[in-house]
Amino acid sequence: MLIHSALEQGVVLKKIWGALRGVYFQNAITLGNWYLDVSNDTVNPNKPRVEVLPLADSGFAEISSFEQFVLVAQSYWGVKVFRNDICPALAPFMPLVYLREDNTSWLGEANDDMLAMTMKSQFFAAESILSALPPPPQVLLEKWQSVLSTLKHNDFLHAKGNALDYCQQYRTNHYYVGSHTRDKAVMAYLAMPRAILVDHNTSSYPS
């Protein structure tokens, strides 16, 4: 009834995604200046099912940089994060390579919010994190290259070069305008395996 009444008064109901208290990623809803989490017990079943708080007191923050995203991902997903040297031509859109302790690896980040952020920044957001992250371990790089070699050729997946150079090139070519190039990048990403498993007999997970 509260939501129905607010909507009748013109208050905007909006789906949001970001980081909650800097600890984990969160989907929620805002109703004007109120924060609504209708699945509050997803991570911790002992918490109330629904949480309603003033947005300013909720601890929710939109993701504004890859640096912020990586800090949450490392603790929430239990991953090491490397720069995307796997597919440098894809890196301006998806600059991250993940490696979990069970040696599962995947690339990202391909959700709409993160793609919108890097494009809005004219690829400077990707450039910043690519400059800060370490390269992937050689065994991880070679495993991905072996997997990608079995796929139909796609410049986003197979082109060689430096990811930072691609950021500059895409900025010069105004690939941050419109959705044409982004959509092609996403389609290339969708042609990849969602994740791969690196040989457990290797020491691919760095200490």
Side-chain angles (χ1 to χ4, degrees):
M1 289 296 294
L2 174 63
I3 294 176
H4 181 71
S5 176
L7 292 175
E8 284 188 335
Q9 297 174 37
V11 178
V12 176
L13 187 70
K14 179 183 176 184
K15 181 182 177 182
I16 57 174
W17 175 85
L20 188 64
R21 303 181 185 99
V23 176
Y24 46 83
F25 299 117
Q26 179 77 355
N27 287 293
I29 298 170
T30 56
L31 181 66
N33 293 322
W34 288 88
Y35 169 90
L36 289 73
D37 182 1
V38 296
S39 302
N40 188 52
D41 58 346
T42 300
V43 176
N44 184 350
N46 297 316
K47 294 172 67 177
R49 179 170 296 179
V50 177
E51 183 174 60
V52 180
L53 291 170
L55 181 59
D57 299 334
S58 67
F60 177 87
E62 292 185 358
I63 303 293
S64 59
S65 70
F66 281 109
E67 284 82 358
Q68 177 192 8
F69 182 92
V70 165
L71 285 175
V72 178
Q74 286 173 329
S75 60
Y76 186 40
W77 292 342
V79 294
K80 298 285 186 179
V81 186
F82 305 96
R83 69 173 182 248
N84 184 2
D85 290 344
I86 309 294
C87 303
L90 191 64
F93 292 97
M94 303 170 201
L96 310 178
V97 176
Y98 306 104
L99 182 63
R100 203 166 55 202
E101 195 163 4
D102 64 0
N103 278 0
T104 299
S105 177
W106 66 98
L107 271 63
E109 188 60 35
N111 68 57
D112 289 341
D113 297 271
M114 296 303 291
L115 287 169
M117 184 199 72
T118 192
M119 291 180 66
K120 184 178 180 181
S121 76
Q122 301 183 18
F123 304 110
F124 280 111
E127 192 172 288
S128 175
I129 196 66
L130 286 165
S131 299
L133 289 174
Q138 186 65 26
V139 65
L140 180 59
L141 181 64
E142 291 175 356
K143 178 64 175 182
W144 268 112
Q145 288 173 340
S146 175
V147 170
L148 292 175
S149 70
T150 68
L151 301 180
K152 180 180 178 181
H153 181 82
N154 183 297
D155 283 344
F156 282 111
L157 304 184
H158 298 103
K160 306 298 183 183
N162 185 289
L164 294 175
D165 292 338
Y166 281 109
C167 289
Q168 176 61 57
Q169 178 185 326
Y170 291 4
R171 188 158 51 245
T172 300
N173 292 341
H174 298 95
Y175 287 168
Y176 54 85
V177 177
S179 62
H180 178 70
T181 305
R182 180 205 64 192
D183 291 348
K184 289 175 64 177
V186 170
M187 291 304 295
Y189 170 81
L190 292 175
M192 302 173 64
R194 296 285 70 77
I196 65 169
L197 184 64
V198 183
D199 188 349
H200 279 276
N201 294 323
T202 70
S203 57
S204 58
Y205 194 81
S207 60

